[in-house]
Amino acid sequence: MLTGVPLFLLQLVVILASAVLLGRLACRFGQPAIVGELAAGVLLGPSVLGRLAPDWAAWLPRPGSGALIDAVAQLGLLLLVGLTAAELDLGRLRAQAGTLARVSAWALLLPLALGAAAGFVAPAVLLGPAADRGMFAAYLGVALSVTAIPVISRTLTDLNLLGHRVGQITLASGAVQDAVAWVLLAVVGAVATQGGGARTVGMPVLWLAVMALVALALRPLARRVLSEADQAPAMTTAAVVIITGALAAHLAGLEPVVGAFVAGLVAGAARGAGARHLTGLRTVVVAVLAPVFLAFAGLHLDLAALADPVVALTAAGLLALAVAGKLAGGYLGARTSGIPRWESFAIGAGLNSRGLIEIVVATVGLRLGILTPAAYSIIVLIAVATSLMAPPLLRAAFARAPRTERKGERHGRDESERDHPDLHRPGNR
């Protein structure tokens, strides 16, 4: 029997090859690659292979087993989160502050409140061993309030809406919501590991503020260094910055993914032609590390849990709440900003995509013991379902919109690509 490094290499070949093949198959059918990559983990995990050929399934690593491939998956997770933050254009966020504040507030707080309320009445079978009812409710609220910038960006690009007012507001608002969600994740994670109390809640916020200030102070230096360096050294520097941020967050008692997100603001300081290092690093992460992480995340999924009628009904109810919360929140925030109704609906539809970010939140919750495997499976299924909904909902909104509203405030694609080139080359996650 293989052990050690040979076993790790075999596991890596099987998981990566399966994820890439099924990811490409999903893209051929017009779906995000995340669907196929997660499906690879489901097929190799307890839901399918574990039941059809348990002896073969035993060769694959189990999540939480400390296997080497777990470390590879975690590296992919940290770099993906850091690159998500690197996509943010802070200048654009400042320029649209009023509209972004209203859209972000409605689209964040409404699903957050609905998710937290549902957490107080959800079946006890979903509560992890380290969670009480209040903690579970808070975590469920955070899980339902996040938005996936990479999925949104790819969808808007495919529909030629990235330069439209809808695309601009949706991307920027999603960035604001995710930034707030990382803060909430840090607080809930700290309470789960250190207990309650004002100090436990206050310290994560304080450390996050310190890390954010350091990141903003380092951006001018990073812009100069990354813009002048060759591509390979710049890629390495960006990766080191993101991993260092994750390490600093862990030492401060925060979730490493939170530190990776903050450090990504530094790694993304060089924009325009100076951002070529992001393109190279993103290619490596999206092509190799992301499929490993997503397939490994799929190994957590045991769809047999949905055979329980209580769990299945809860999954359907939470999916309905998640969709209604984002659609209504985005719509109300946009309408109160004076945006026409079908554009407002399109903004809500775009923000409804949760994709990779919600899977990250679910993974952290399972590791901390806040979620059970059944709860984890429900949240991942919501992430996939909402990502699949975005393209048809956006198409439907613009098909119903009057011609003048459909035209909107479209910027020329050449101008958009020149000012924000990274937004046109995201992974479809």
Side-chain angles (χ1 to χ4, degrees), residues 164-198:
H164 192 284
R165 173 171 55 189
V166 166
Q168 302 288 300
I169 294 175
T170 302
L171 275 178
S173 177
V176 173
Q177 293 172 57
D178 279 352
V180 176
W182 290 120
V183 176
L184 297 176
L185 179 65
V187 172
V188 176
V191 172
T193 55
Q194 304 171 29

Side-chain angles (χ1 to χ4, degrees), residues 4-188:
V5 173
L7 177 60
F8 160 70
L9 295 176
L10 175 62
Q11 293 169 343
L12 184 60
V13 167
V14 172
I15 290 177
L16 181 57
S18 301
V20 171
L21 288 174
L22 291 179
R24 290 180 64 87
L25 182 63
C27 292
R28 290 288 298 270
F29 286 93
Q31 302 299 335
I34 180 179
V35 175
E37 290 162 354
L38 276 171
V42 174
L43 292 175
L44 296 173
S47 298
V48 180
L49 189 62
R51 284 177 169 75
L52 298 178
D55 291 338
W56 284 94
W59 284 67
L60 294 169
R62 297 272 71 83
S65 63
L68 285 174
I69 199 166
D70 195 355
V72 176
Q74 292 305 310
L75 176 62
L77 166 62
L78 295 177
L79 292 177
L80 273 170
V81 171
L83 288 173
T84 297
E87 297 271 355
L88 304 187
D89 186 341
L90 300 184
R92 178 185 295 176
L93 297 183
R94 288 192 295 267
Q96 305 181 55
T99 299
L100 289 181
R102 286 184 288 271
V103 173
S104 300
W106 277 102
L108 175 75
L109 296 178
L110 186 55
L112 179 67
L114 291 174
F120 281 106
V121 298
V125 69
L126 301 183
L127 275 66
D132 56 26
R133 180 64 69 171
M135 184 186 303
F136 176 79
Y139 207 88
L140 189 59
V142 174
L144 265 58
S145 65
V146 298
T147 293
I149 297 175
V151 173
I152 296 172
S153 184
R154 175 58 183 263
T155 302
L156 293 171
T157 300
D158 289 346
L159 298 179
N160 196 27
L161 294 175
L162 204 55
H164 192 284
R165 173 171 55 189
V166 166
Q168 302 288 300
I169 294 175
T170 302
L171 275 178
S173 177
V176 173
Q177 293 172 57
D178 279 352
V180 176
W182 290 120
V183 176
L184 297 176
L185 179 65
V187 172
V188 176

